[in-house]
Amino acid sequence: MKLTTKINKMKNLNLTQLEETILTELIDNLYAEPGFSDVSPQNLSKNTGISMKSIRGVLASLVKKDIIFLGDNDCQGMDFCMIVYLNDNYYNLHPEWKDY
C-alpha cells in the first residue's frame, strides 16, 4: 500500500495525533501473518519515546474505538503485561494484510 493511501485511511479514522502515532508504530511492527502480534505497550513506548502513562491512555482510546484489542501475555512480574493486536476490520491499514 502506498504511504499516501495509508495516511488517507488513517485520516478517515478521526484519530488524535498520539493515536495515529501509536497505531502507525503498531502496524509498522506487525511483520508476520495477519492476526499475529508480539508488540507490547512497552515496545510502543520505547520505539516512540511516549511515556507508558500516555501509552495506556492511547491504547484505551483505540480499544474503545474498536481499532485494536489487548491480549494477555504470559510474562511474570511485569506491570501491564499485554500484547497489542490490530482488529481484523483494520487489516487493510497494514501494507501486506490489505487483502484480508
Side-chain angles (χ1 to χ4, degrees):
M1 175 183 316
K2 293 180 182 177
L3 181 59
T4 53
T5 303
K6 182 175 164 184
I7 290 170
N8 286 337
K9 287 184 178 187
M10 291 264 196
K11 294 294 182 205
N12 292 335
L13 298 176
N14 296 316
L15 302 175
T16 67
Q17 183 62 47
L18 278 177
E19 289 170 339
E20 190 172 325
T21 298
I22 295 304
L23 185 56
T24 298
E25 184 64 27
L26 171 64
I27 290 168
D28 288 348
N29 284 280
L30 297 174
Y31 61 88
E33 68 274 355
F36 176 81
S37 176
D38 62 356
V39 180
S40 70
Q42 291 83 355
N43 297 134
L44 296 171
S45 177
K46 180 181 175 187
N47 294 345
T48 62
I50 298 170
S51 72
M52 277 301 296
K53 182 178 179 180
S54 292
I55 293 287
R56 286 183 181 119
V58 171
L59 293 178
S61 179
L62 290 171
V63 166
K64 187 174 181 179
K65 292 180 179 184
D66 204 31
I67 296 171
I68 65 162
F69 67 96
L70 302 174
D72 290 328
N73 192 8
D74 292 330
C75 50
Q76 306 270 331
M78 287 183 65
D79 182 37
F80 203 63
C81 187
M82 307 294 263
I83 295 295
V84 184
Y85 295 91
L86 185 64
N87 276 333
D88 57 358
N89 290 335
Y90 297 95
Y91 283 178
N92 64 340
L93 296 174
H94 192 287
E96 296 176 18
W97 297 3
K98 63 181 182 233
D99 294 329
Y100 290 91

